Amino acid sequence: MRRRYRRRKRKRQRRLLKFSFFLVLMMGSCIAVLLIASFLLGPPSLERPQNTIYYSNTEEVIGEEYGSEQRYWVSLAEIDDRLEQATVLTEDQHFFDHFGFDLKRLVGAIWKDIQTLSLKEGASTITQQYARNLFLTHDKTWKRKLYEAFYTIRLEMFYDKDELLEGYLNTIYFGHGAYGIEAASKYFFDKSAADLSWAEAAMLAGIPKGPSHYSPFHNLDNAKNRQELILSNLHEKNVIDDSEYETALNEELSFSEDRDIASKSVAPYFQDVVVKELQELLDVNIEDIRSGGYQVYTTLDLKQQQAMEQASETIDSDSEIQVGAMAMDPDTGGVTALLGGRDYEDSSFNRVTQAKRMPGSAFKPFLYYTALENGMTPATTLMSKPTTFELADGKSYQPSNYNDYYANQPITMAQAMALSDNIFAVKTNLYVTPERFARTAKNKFKFNSELEPVASLALGTEVVTMQEMVTGYSMIANGGLDVESHTITKVTDAYGEVLYDREEEQAENKGWNPFSKQEDNQVLRKEYAYILADMMKGMFEQELNGYMSVTGASIADKLTHEYAGKSGTTNVDNWMMGFSPALTAGVWVGYDDNREIVRTSDQQYAKEVWASFMESAHENLPEEHIVKPDNVVEASIDLNTGFLAGDGCGQTHTMSFVRGTEPTRYCTAHLDDEHEHPEELDEMIPEDRLLENWWEWMWTGEDEQ
């Protein structure tokens, strides 16, 4: 009987041994398969949605884009060591020693789960939590646990501990929609994760265990108790000494009052333009931008932006009148300041890029450049008097000057520009032809808006954007070089890889081409650009006063730098455009519903805002002067005749000319003929020069330099 019992016992032991061996073999096989599969699948992607951050031209953060989750990514070097130590000691003391699983804690947790028939007990390491944050849901199921183990092995197999810790700290959830330590640090303490104290680090390290339970904004007592527990643990493990421990315990935490991490508080209209430009550059949609983690470096000058906003505050706060303003570096095309309206929260409609308005006389510089290319000079005289023009289609056109003021005698182009004489402008347009004028504006000054080639185009009756106007004026300011308006200089991904670099792209596009001209980006004739800019200074020069004051007289005494400009006025629009060699700026003022501007004060806002902005902006800009081309000469001209000034002449002004086109007769020549104003002066345009240019263009494709 006893022998039979011993045989049964040995059989049971052998079966148990076989079963145990089978289990071990099966577990070993599963682990082997798991390891082989993990190796063959390679490293799992660590990419996660992150905030896109915008920087100014001095790399200061101006705003961010984010979706429903607020995310940042910072390197381990940018995270305070205090936070790293507090997190590791709290969440996973053996993180740097294990291969992804803390076996002692894991066995204990599994045993408790078996006893309670639940999955409530957790023993997750930092790597396991990181795997869950990256790839899985937080459901407590055996299937999720198995997947978590699989991803944990893959993470440990292909990434080092620093990479895993960095990823964990950047993806862990702290509640309130904040993911990652940088977002949490900003949200709770309004500071970077690189600048935390022991008290702050311990407070943050305690939140991920239960964000709704341990957030100081939900339950300060719970948060403080957990913070003290973590500090005590740090003290016991000799991470902090007695002094640091006491200091941290007694530190009064200063929590953030402004908990809106991402906003467009700085230049919101500018940021909208950046977003649109970024979409085009990277060919991505707005949701990709919001969660793409891009680092976007822009052209915004914070001081200029502030100056522009302050200048616009002079507008009556009770008025419904709107403003659109933009500043640009004329050499690069970089937008340095932009104001699309008076209140972004009230209206995000951008009056710089989206609104199309009539520029009025501010459009005349493009006409006079066309005239210079076609034989006219600053000294060309035309009669300023009420005129009815018979047009080619049989219709008549009768423009008028401001307040019906006329010289009723010939005036020079330079004075017509300064006084904004409309009769002179329409005559000039009909001389060069509206078709040629429209073609010049579109092909050379880069206007994309529709421009009807009509006589009134000279007076700015076609609608255009402020962005187009500032770009065109910048080409005059930089000597006629091609320029492209832009707000982005560089874009990187969250890890610093360059996705777009404007300078590199421009260098690649230029390349080397043996068939290209030496100066491919020279769009305007530089001598004519210089002469035009010189004429545009006249709106501020009192010596050009004639039958009325120069159009910039009201702000001339507020300007301490040399500027060139042109104003424009219609019944519903007010413009002021102008530049120095260092900066171009434009200001539009009007009503969104095209109401007539009737108050005198409203009609002055554009000039006043422009003058205030330009003066403030130039406090931080170097003093520059436009370089005169070698083939440009100056001559003193009699404004009554357009001839060289001499003894006995009247009002005179120094003008610029391409060498050989300056007048050769003196203003006293008419005395010999006993004619004060000979009739030929009414329409004295040197047609031989136009013919000469035409033949040059016909045979060579370009005018003679």
Side-chain angles (χ1 to χ4, degrees):
M1 189 75 179
R2 186 179 296 174
R3 188 181 299 169
R4 192 182 305 162
Y5 173 75
R6 284 199 297 266
R7 282 199 299 268
R8 283 200 215 96
K9 185 177 180 181
R10 282 197 295 270
K11 286 181 180 179
R12 283 198 303 269
Q13 287 175 339
R14 282 196 294 270
R15 283 197 294 267
L16 182 61
L17 185 62
K18 288 179 181 179
F19 181 71
S20 299
F21 177 76
F22 176 76
L23 285 179
V24 171
L25 185 63
M26 286 296 295
M27 288 179 64
S29 300
C30 289
I31 292 173
V33 170
L34 193 61
L35 291 173
I36 292 171
S38 297
F39 179 78
L40 293 176
L41 286 172
S45 173
L46 302 183
E47 292 186 2
R48 290 292 288 162
Q50 298 159 41
N51 287 7
T52 288
I53 304 177
Y54 304 118
Y55 299 91
S56 70
N57 62 354
T58 54
E59 300 191 7
E60 296 178 70
V61 175
I62 60 173
E64 301 157 33
E65 288 283 356
Y66 61 92
S68 60
E69 300 174 354
Q70 301 164 355
R71 299 178 183 268
Y72 300 78
W73 190 281
V74 289
S75 68
L76 205 59
E78 297 174 281
I79 301 174
D80 198 296
D81 288 341
R82 298 179 181 89
L83 190 283
E84 294 177 34
Q85 294 179 73
T87 298
V88 171
L89 200 59
T90 302
E91 294 293 331
D92 187 0
Q93 294 184 32
H94 305 293
F95 170 70
F96 289 102
D97 302 319
H98 60 61
F99 58 92
F101 306 94
D102 189 329
L103 294 181
K104 184 177 180 180
R105 291 174 62 199
L106 183 61
V107 170
I110 291 174
W111 177 245
K112 287 186 179 180
D113 284 343
I114 292 174
Q115 287 180 316
T116 59
L117 298 177
S118 69
L119 292 173
K120 293 181 179 180
E121 192 66 27
S124 296
T125 62
I126 282 177
T127 311
Q128 287 175 276
Q129 292 183 61
Y130 187 29
R132 186 164 63 242
N133 294 339
L134 282 175
F135 311 112
L136 305 167
T137 67
H138 288 254
D139 297 335
K140 292 189 175 183
T141 63
W142 285 109
K143 182 179 179 181
R144 199 270 293 162
K145 288 275 189 182
L146 290 173
Y147 274 115
E148 180 184 298
F150 175 62
Y151 280 113
T152 297
I153 292 172
R154 291 180 65 193
L155 288 173
E156 287 280 350
M157 184 177 291
F158 292 102
Y159 297 100
D160 62 38
K161 291 293 186 178
D162 281 349
E163 289 177 301
L164 297 177
L165 181 58
E166 178 180 305
Y168 170 79
L169 290 173
N170 278 289
T171 56
I172 196 68
Y173 185 52
F174 288 83
H176 308 282
Y179 285 77
I181 186 58
E182 183 71 5
S185 185
K186 287 177 178 288
Y187 187 85
F188 289 101
F189 298 115
D190 195 23
K191 61 165 61 175
S192 170
D195 305 313
L196 298 171
S197 66
W198 275 117
E200 293 166 338
M203 176 61 73
L204 290 177
I207 296 174
K209 181 177 177 65
S212 61
H213 189 68
Y214 293 113
S215 166
F217 297 148
H218 286 319
N219 193 317
L220 183 58
D221 289 338
N222 287 349
K224 285 293 292 181
N225 290 337
R226 182 155 174 78
Q227 177 212 35
E228 290 173 4
L229 179 64
I230 292 171
L231 288 172
S232 177
N233 196 19
L234 289 167
H235 184 230
E236 290 176 6
K237 300 293 184 181
N238 296 317
V239 176
I240 58 177
D241 58 28
D242 294 344
S243 175
E244 290 173 317
Y245 177 58
E246 290 298 327
T247 300
L249 280 178
N250 296 317
E251 180 179 330
E252 185 176 346
L253 296 177
S254 178
F255 293 109
S256 171
E257 294 182 2
D258 180 11
R259 300 168 193 168
D260 183 12
I261 296 177
S263 66
K264 289 185 176 180
S265 58
V266 179
Y269 292 103
F270 176 87
Q271 288 189 51
D272 282 351
V273 178
V274 173
V275 171
K276 184 177 180 181
E277 190 173 321
L278 187 61
Q279 287 179 276
E280 295 172 355
L281 288 175
L282 302 184
D283 192 23
V284 293
N285 59 40
I286 186 62
E287 288 306 316
D288 290 335
I289 289 175
R290 286 175 175 165
S291 59
Y294 300 114
Q295 310 291 298
V296 185
Y297 298 87
T298 77
T299 57
L300 185 73
D301 186 304
L302 288 173
K303 291 182 179 178
Q304 289 188 24
Q305 181 66 30
Q306 184 179 18
M308 183 172 284
E309 292 172 0
Q310 288 178 345
S312 70
E313 290 173 2
T314 59
I315 299 175
D316 184 359
S317 59
D318 294 329
S319 174
E320 294 180 4
I321 204 164
Q322 276 293 348
V323 63
M326 175 176 166
M328 177 189 289
D329 182 331
D331 292 324
T332 66
V335 178
T336 55
L338 189 148
L339 191 65
R342 295 177 64 184
D343 188 341
Y344 185 83
E345 295 299 322
D346 181 58
S347 170
S348 62
F349 180 71
N350 194 324
R351 288 128 186 116
V352 169
T353 59
Q354 294 175 288
K356 289 195 172 186
R357 309 290 297 220
M358 291 187 292
S361 293
F363 205 66
K364 288 176 181 176
F366 311 119
L367 167 67
Y368 289 127
Y369 175 82
T370 309
L372 291 171
E373 276 198 329
N374 287 278
M376 296 178 70
T377 75
T380 298
T381 57
L382 296 173
M383 178 63 75
S384 168
K385 65 181 180 182
T387 306
T388 299
F389 295 91
E390 299 294 334
L391 305 180
D393 59 3
K395 297 180 180 179
S396 62
Y397 176 52
Q398 189 174 8
S400 60
N401 280 349
Y402 180 71
N403 282 342
D404 285 325
Y405 293 157
Y406 303 91
N408 291 309
Q409 64 181 38
I411 60 173
T412 63
M413 182 197 290
Q415 192 171 36
M417 170 85 82
L419 305 182
S420 200
D421 191 281
N422 289 339
I423 304 302
F424 194 109
V426 174
K427 287 183 177 181
T428 300
N429 187 25
L430 295 178
Y431 165 67
V432 301
T433 72
E435 291 76 15
R436 183 180 284 117
F437 174 28
R439 200 161 52 242
T440 298
K442 294 180 74 69
N443 296 344
K444 295 193 174 183
F445 290 100
K446 308 184 75 170
F447 280 87
N448 293 317
S449 298
E450 290 297 321
L451 300 176
E452 190 72 21
V454 293
S456 63
L457 181 60
L459 308 185
T461 55
E462 298 296 297
V463 294
V464 296
T465 68
M466 171 62 75
Q467 188 174 30
E468 289 175 312
M469 290 289 285
V470 173
T471 300
Y473 271 67
S474 290
M475 294 179 66
I476 305 170
N478 69 24
L481 300 177
D482 187 20
V483 67
E484 182 180 0
S485 168
H486 66 277
T487 61
I488 297 175
T489 57
K490 187 172 72 172
V491 182
T492 71
D493 63 16
Y495 308 100
E497 182 180 349
V498 177
L499 304 177
Y500 168 80
D501 188 300
R502 185 174 180 81
E503 288 187 2
E504 289 183 4
E505 184 180 81
Q506 287 182 320
E508 290 176 3
N509 290 340
K510 286 181 180 178
W512 183 79
N513 186 345
F515 302 104
S516 66
K517 295 182 181 179
Q518 186 175 1
E519 295 181 340
D520 286 333
N521 61 339
Q522 187 72 48
V523 178
L524 309 180
R525 290 274 294 267
K526 55 187 174 183
E527 58 268 38
Y528 293 147
Y530 176 86
I531 292 170
L532 178 60
D534 189 53
M535 281 198 295
M536 292 170 68
K537 297 174 187 176
M539 74 169 292
F540 308 115
E541 297 174 340
Q542 305 285 346
E543 63 189 71
L544 284 171
N545 287 344
Y547 63 85
M548 61 179 294
S549 298
V550 292
T551 53
S554 62
I555 57 173
D557 61 343
K558 301 177 182 178
L559 307 177
T560 60
H561 296 75
E562 186 175 76
Y563 305 112
K566 187 73 190 74
S567 58
T569 303
T570 72
N571 290 337
V572 298
D573 299 283
N574 245 218
W575 296 69
M576 179 60 210
M577 309 292 304
F579 56 83
S580 72
L583 187 66
T584 305
V587 177
W588 165 86
V589 172
Y591 293 97
D592 287 337
D593 58 4
N594 285 298
R595 264 180 287 164
E596 185 175 353
I597 303 174
V598 293
R599 294 198 311 175
T600 304
S601 59
D602 289 351
Q603 295 170 352
Q604 285 296 310
Y605 282 143
K607 291 178 182 176
E608 291 172 357
V609 171
W610 182 89
S612 176
F613 166 73
M614 290 295 275
E615 284 295 290
S616 295
H618 279 77
E619 291 177 1
N620 302 301
L621 292 174
E623 187 72 27
E624 294 184 43
H625 299 280
I626 300 176
V627 178
K628 184 171 67 175
D630 294 337
N631 61 338
V632 172
V633 297
E634 294 181 347
S636 182
I637 302 299
D638 172 52
L639 295 178
N640 289 328
T641 63
F643 293 154
L644 293 172
D647 294 338
C649 293
Q651 193 176 359
T652 65
H653 184 69
T654 301
M655 303 179 191
S656 298
F657 303 87
V658 175
R659 182 177 285 107
T661 65
E662 68 272 23
T664 55
R665 298 174 63 189
Y666 280 88
C667 61
T668 53
H670 68 278
L671 298 177
D672 299 333
D673 298 330
E674 296 183 355
H675 291 290
E676 186 174 357
H677 289 292
E679 288 297 320
E680 60 265 31
L681 289 180
D682 290 1
E683 304 291 340
M684 195 185 74
I685 299 173
E687 294 187 7
D688 56 334
R689 175 61 181 166
L690 174 61
L691 289 174
E692 177 184 299
N693 285 354
W694 183 81
W695 278 105
E696 288 169 0
W697 176 83
M698 184 76 168
W699 291 104
T700 67
E702 60 181 18
D703 289 347
E704 183 182 25
Q705 296 293 321

